[in-house]
Amino acid sequence: MLPVDAVLRKVDSSFEESVGRLCELLRIPSVSTDPAYAGDVRRAAQWCADRLAAMGFTVTIHETPGHPILVAHNPGPAGVETPHVLYYGHYDVQPADPVELWNSPPFEPAIVEAERGRRVVARGAADDKGQTMTFMEAFEAWHAVHGSIPIRATVLLEGEEETGSPSLPRFLKEHAEELRADFCLVTDTNAWDVDTPAITTRLRGLLYLEATVTGPSHDLHSGLFGGAVPNPINVLTGILGQIHDADGRVRFDGFYDGVRELPDDLLAQIRGLPLDEAQFLGALGLTRSHGEAGRTLLERIWTRPTCDINGIWGGYTGEGSKTVIPAKASCKLSCRLVPGQDPAAIEASVERFFEERLPADCTVSFRRFSSSPGIEVPTDTPWMQAVRGGLKDATERDGVLIGGGGSIPIVGWFREHLGLDTILVGFGLDDDRIHSPNEKFELKCLRNGIRSHAAILGRLAAGQVG
Amino acid sequence: MLPVDAVLRKVDSSFEESVGRLCELLRIPSVSTDPAYAGDVRRAAQWCADRLAAMGFTVTIHETPGHPILVAHNPGPAGVETPHVLYYGHYDVQPADPVELWNSPPFEPAIVEAERGRRVVARGAADDKGQTMTFMEAFEAWHAVHGSIPIRATVLLEGEEETGSPSLPRFLKEHAEELRADFCLVTDTNAWDVDTPAITTRLRGLLYLEATVTGPSHDLHSGLFGGAVPNPINVLTGILGQIHDADGRVRFDGFYDGVRELPDDLLAQIRGLPLDEAQFLGALGLTRSHGEAGRTLLERIWTRPTCDINGIWGGYTGEGSKTVIPAKASCKLSCRLVPGQDPAAIEASVERFFEERLPADCTVSFRRFSSSPGIEVPTDTPWMQAVRGGLKDATERDGVLIGGGGSIPIVGWFREHLGLDTILVGFGLDDDRIHSPNEKFELKCLRNGIRSHAAILGRLAAGQVG
């Protein structure tokens, strides 16, 4: 019997205690956006520190300009060279508002029986306390059975994820030596379904700009001047209306430079995923997928770059009518980027696209709010093999490789500041209602997560990697 | 010597008294938008009523849901058949705010010497008390010299023009018999310059719509869904961006149906007008005129239809960024229409233009705020001949026929409810600062106006018409 088998049995036999510990953490209202809860955010950090210390970690709670960052080190078994993993999670949560829409108090975790078995309902149940506890409880089980965890591990937990992690990039830079590991393991994403684990291997980047077109020096009466002066709303919409071609492709010069087609096996895997498109789209009030021609829904979201206008404003927007030609009009515009695209080159191309289409007497100015590249996690590394093997050991299913349409900034920061690849393995579900009332985490997901992390530790320790 | 000659001499010799009477009227703060001044609006109506009664008019002050409407009749010389003219003016004014920007109190008229001679500075000096007094004082002079005015005249003065004349359409309908005349003479427009009178013979109509495009049933995260769902802002700007072709022409189907090219003589007259384009455009922060290819600036404003987007809004418009795909996006859109265009047909065409370009799963809804046709005043009528003759008699210059880019709703209402054409002859100047601090009226314009109306009365009475 391998050492991991006893651990997996322990995970199962002690599962109610694991649920109990998660509920303890969920009772701390660690809302990071609201200064009134700053003490609770710190209390949550301390709770995690106490657990880790009890398992032999050396824990430091670092002060930041915002909420504390916890770093814990475990050297692993003495005298043995093992892989070194950096685990990431966060102990802060979104506000619970609107509280009146909750069926039970958001910080009094309720165990509820539902169609997939029991679930825990509380703010943070999934995002990210429940997910963070999957690896914390895997440590518990290893520690309980073998007296120690089987590899060298560093744990990084922050309390500002829900406010955009303002302190983290600088912290990573300043603590790069201390945090360096073989790879990062982040547990803040979703499984494919309640039984099937998933690894997110692609994330889209984000270029987010604001553009303002200016024409006449002041607002003009559209009767007295209309037809003879440039109208900045006409100009702006005229430019924005040219961004997409008839096939839904983006027309910024060089936009697709560097964009690679997926390898056949990955494409086949994505196309083989059992997605109920009608249900997915029906929940959005839609009957079909829109976008770039010749791509499936999941390809469009996971693998293709986009341009969306996220906001637009200009002229008179109140009730009734006003016959005005405004002096300016603005929009917020973002591109989701895939690996291979250069955010800076695309930003320059967007600006040229506007400038080349401006009529005389009009100007355009830009502000940039985000610029991050798309990310592709290598799938052929020994670490990925270990993680996939562990998922199979724990769930008896192959984990599927999925993409994510959004950005997860920490993945870019770990690459930039620590030089590390990140493997995103998570156990949430699409219907967990994170950030919404009645957030929940399926206990089945919690158990799968703990078992998976326990098995991944087993794989990494068994030297099947590295 | 014709009867009018003595009247014109009287206008000149009594001019200071005319200025004095105008100043009396200007001292009444008849601000129609502010209920606090309702008593003053009524006082201004009464002041006009007293003047008209003193000249032999039968005056009635009619109550309305808002401010009173004054109607006065003068039968003209006994036993003589004369033309019957309906004069229109308004005795209400815009608010004086911001009062601190005035060089003298807005309701204490100041006579100031400037580059074109003396001017009177006060709220309402031009719009429309000074202009209204041009025909009132012409009556005074005729009455003083000959004991009566020489034609049958009806005077209609309202106190709600600055609030959009809410009571007037219904009043016209209900008093149609009483108000019917041969034509209307409205004095609320501009001269070409201080020495050159003008008749406005073309006004553009207005079709004003609000359009809302709806896509997904609720706002979506642009990372999780972007590229696979219809974005209503993308859709809306995609449609709006197609409205104009490369020559600046409007692409709504049938938009130019019924639009006639100007007769050569009118076109030649417009192209011959001494407009300083660089100065006109420079005041707007522009270096050149924009719009439909092959048309001059004045043709574009006076004679060509347009489509301007007057407002647009959707998605996130606050500070910073939000990665949202909104459920809907809206715009306000207006077409300036010229004679020959059918507002209802164009409204239907605009709606089709949107509907034909909507992707699946998107809908569009419309609201209409205005729908009025362009207006062309016949220039070959005897009344127009009399007015042009009178202007020449009074100023020794030919009045120029000009257009107006905006709408003057009363002109449409007089046509609709009374069946009458309107001749717009006014004496304001572009720089009169109507609706702004330090509104003024050149005394030269006042004198030209009184002389012109006196001479027009002479022409009409002399039977040179009808």
Side-chain angles (χ1 to χ4, degrees), chain A residues 208 287 319-320 332 361 367, chain B residues 287 319-320 322 332 361 367:
Chain A
Y208 198 115
T287 63
E319 179 56 29
K332 295 182 194 274
D361 291 335
R367 297 173 66 193
Chain B
T287 62
E319 178 57 28
K322 184 177 174 187
K332 294 182 195 273
D361 291 334
R367 297 172 67 195

Side-chain angles (χ1 to χ4, degrees), chain B residues 48-61:
Chain B
C48 295
D50 293 346
R51 293 305 319 155
L52 288 161
M55 294 181 271
F57 281 77
T58 311
V59 189
T60 311
I61 293 181

Side-chain angles (χ1 to χ4, degrees), chain B residues 3 9 23 30 32-33 39 49 69 79 151 166 171 185 243 284 286 297 311 314 333 359 385 432 454 459 466:
Chain B
R9 274 207 296 270
C23 289
S30 50
S32 54
T33 56
I69 291 175
I151 63 163
F171 185 85
L185 201 47
I243 291 177
L284 314 177
L286 305 174
L297 190 157
L333 171 154
Q385 296 310 318
D432 279 344
R459 286 268 179 168

Side-chain angles (χ1 to χ4, degrees), chain A residues 397-445:
Chain A
R397 294 202 179 200
D398 285 319
V400 296
L401 303 183
I402 63 174
S407 310
I408 302 187
I410 48 166
V411 177
W413 298 334
F414 288 154
R415 160 58 46 205
E416 180 180 352
H417 299 300
L418 308 181
L420 299 185
D421 280 330
T422 293
I423 297 180
L424 297 146
V425 57
F427 305 94
L429 297 178
D430 283 336
D431 65 359
D432 280 345
R433 292 193 285 273
I434 64 169
H435 297 205
S436 296
N438 301 307
E439 178 177 354
K440 59 85 179 169
F441 196 42
E442 304 288 342
L443 293 191
K444 198 164 183 184
C445 290

Side-chain angles (χ1 to χ4, degrees), chain B residues 141-264:
Chain B
W142 272 94
H143 184 259
V145 173
H146 299 291
S148 70
I149 66 168
I151 63 163
R152 184 173 169 200
T154 297
V155 174
L156 171 70
L157 301 180
E158 68 160 324
E160 296 184 325
E161 200 272 349
E162 301 295 357
T163 64
S165 305
S167 305
L168 194 61
R170 183 170 167 179
F171 185 85
L172 294 178
K173 209 165 165 180
E174 291 176 353
H175 295 77
E177 274 311 309
E178 181 188 347
L179 295 170
R180 199 151 290 152
D182 291 313
F183 71 99
C184 301
L185 201 47
V186 169
T187 301
D188 197 12
T189 50
N190 282 358
W192 176 253
D193 64 30
V194 71
D195 296 310
T196 315
I199 301 172
T200 302
T201 64
R202 296 176 62 91
L203 291 170
R204 294 194 294 189
L206 179 64
L207 174 68
Y208 198 114
L209 303 174
E210 182 176 308
T212 298
V213 170
T214 304
S217 54
H218 51 280
D219 288 4
L220 300 176
H221 189 289
S222 73
L224 302 183
F225 298 99
V229 297
N231 176 335
I233 309 182
N234 289 18
V235 172
L236 178 63
T237 57
I239 294 171
L240 297 177
Q242 296 176 53
I243 291 177
H244 293 89
D245 70 13
D247 286 331
R249 287 170 64 89
V250 176
R251 295 178 60 229
F252 300 133
D253 191 42
F255 189 71
Y256 293 95
D257 287 357
V259 176
R260 295 178 296 276
E261 292 296 330
L262 290 194
D264 288 346

Side-chain angles (χ1 to χ4, degrees), chain A residues 204 206 208 210 215-218 220-231 233-234 236-242 244 280-292 297 300-301 304-326 329-330 332 334 336 359-362 367 369-370 404-407, chain B residues 204 206 208 210 215-218 220-231 233-234 236-242 244 280-292 297 300-301 304-326 329-330 332 334 336 359-362 367 369-370 404-407:
Chain A
R204 293 194 292 189
L206 179 63
Y208 198 115
E210 182 175 309
S217 54
H218 52 280
L220 300 177
H221 189 290
S222 71
L224 302 184
F225 298 100
V229 298
N231 176 335
I233 310 183
N234 289 17
L236 178 63
T237 57
I239 293 171
L240 297 177
Q242 296 177 52
H244 293 89
F280 180 94
L281 292 165
L284 314 176
L286 305 174
T287 63
R288 68 191 73 178
S289 166
H290 297 247
E292 199 181 340
L297 190 155
R300 285 169 170 166
I301 295 176
R304 302 300 299 172
T306 69
C307 179
D308 270 304
I309 307 157
N310 305 104
I312 191 164
W313 66 100
Y316 180 69
T317 60
E319 179 56 29
S321 63
K322 184 178 174 187
T323 50
V324 64
I325 293 176
S330 299
K332 295 182 194 274
S334 66
R336 294 288 167 176
D361 291 335
C362 288
R367 297 173 66 193
F369 293 111
S370 292
S407 310
Chain B
R204 294 194 294 189
L206 179 64
Y208 198 114
E210 182 176 308
S217 54
H218 51 280
L220 300 176
H221 189 289
S222 73
L224 302 183
F225 298 99
V229 297
N231 176 335
I233 309 182
N234 289 18
L236 178 63
T237 57
I239 294 171
L240 297 177
Q242 296 176 53
H244 293 89
F280 180 93
L281 292 164
L284 314 177
L286 305 174
T287 62
R288 68 190 74 178
S289 166
H290 297 248
E292 200 182 340
L297 190 157
R300 285 169 171 165
I301 295 176
R304 301 301 298 173
T306 69
C307 179
D308 270 303
I309 307 158
N310 305 103
I312 191 164
W313 67 101
Y316 181 67
T317 59
E319 178 57 28
S321 62
K322 184 177 174 187
T323 51
V324 65
I325 293 176
S330 300
K332 294 182 195 273
S334 66
R336 294 288 168 177
D361 291 334
C362 288
R367 297 172 67 195
F369 293 112
S370 293
S407 309

